[in-house]
Amino acid sequence: MPDPHAPVLLAWLQALPADAPSLAPATLQALHAAGARVLYQAVQGGEARLYAPADADMAALRRLLPQARWLRLQPLWHRAGQAAGRPAPWHYVVATDVLPEHEADFNAWYETEHAPGLAAVPGTVQASRWLCEEAGPGSPRYHACYELAEEQAFGSPAWLAVRATDWSSRVRPHFRNTRRTMFRRVDLVPPAPPA
């Protein structure tokens, strides 16, 4: 992810083919040159998420990905995880809305119990929360993102214990329009050859 303390642009692609043949190396490099910093492709299905800093070349990015839905995300919360500093090839996202009358409890739960608990799970590199202020139909307002060093962190006993609290059971029924997706990182720039 780009700087977790600054607004980011999110290109949400609903139909990227599983092997990403439409994104040739030249396209990936052009996305990087336009300011994109990281691309993630869903482990199942064709969804993808591309992140760029808010000052990226939006016109160039739109030309390169005309099928993308572009959203601006504002940072709400960030915490380094138990595995901070390790590479994070896995990106788990929970994008959701919440019933307005439960929004204060939802935000308190996420920021004081849930997200800090998942950040502490072995294998979590970082956890962050984002708000999409201009979300439209089908685009949830809240995005919780977890960068993982190992896919196994997700679903581990420690991860599941954080999800199984009384507060979680009270808040979760008020989620609406929820999407939970595991992504794998796609390199925008080829790795440097070994020295």
Side-chain angles (χ1 to χ4, degrees):
M1 293 277 300
D3 180 358
H5 305 289
V8 298
L9 299 171
L10 164 64
W12 199 341
L13 297 107
Q14 296 297 320
L16 190 65
D19 59 355
S22 62
L23 295 181
T27 303
L28 295 173
Q29 291 175 5
L31 288 167
H32 186 264
R37 290 298 164 251
V38 64
L39 171 67
Y40 295 100
Q41 188 171 353
V43 172
Q44 295 181 348
E47 185 178 345
R49 290 170 74 101
L50 178 98
Y51 295 95
D55 62 354
D57 183 346
M58 195 63 201
L61 291 171
R62 284 185 190 274
R63 277 193 308 277
L64 291 162
L65 295 174
Q67 72 278 32
R69 182 173 192 169
W70 289 92
L71 305 171
R72 184 180 172 95
L73 301 180
Q74 297 292 334
L76 292 175
W77 183 92
H78 171 263
R79 178 157 307 161
Q82 180 276 339
R86 291 181 54 196
W90 302 98
H91 181 66
Y92 179 63
V93 177
V94 178
T96 193
D97 291 317
V98 64
L99 293 174
E101 61 270 24
H102 297 280
E103 198 160 9
D105 192 37
F106 165 81
N107 284 318
W109 166 74
Y110 245 119
E111 293 183 10
T112 61
E113 179 183 279
H114 194 67
L118 293 178
V121 169
T124 302
V125 175
Q126 71 175 349
S128 58
R129 291 188 66 225
W130 304 83
L131 177 66
C132 180
E133 294 175 345
E134 73 273 1
S139 295
R141 289 182 61 221
Y142 290 98
H143 296 246
C145 301
Y146 305 93
E147 310 303 316
L148 305 173
E150 300 109 17
E151 187 180 18
Q152 296 78 12
F154 173 77
S156 68
W159 187 280
L160 295 175
V162 172
R163 290 182 41 95
T165 68
D166 289 342
W167 200 357
S168 296
S169 296
R170 185 178 78 226
V171 170
R172 206 169 278 118
H174 306 296
F175 285 18
R176 297 294 183 269
N177 191 26
T178 304
R179 296 179 179 167
R180 294 175 176 89
T181 312
M182 179 65 76
F183 296 88
R184 184 162 179 90
R185 186 181 183 118
V186 176
D187 290 327
L188 291 174
V189 179

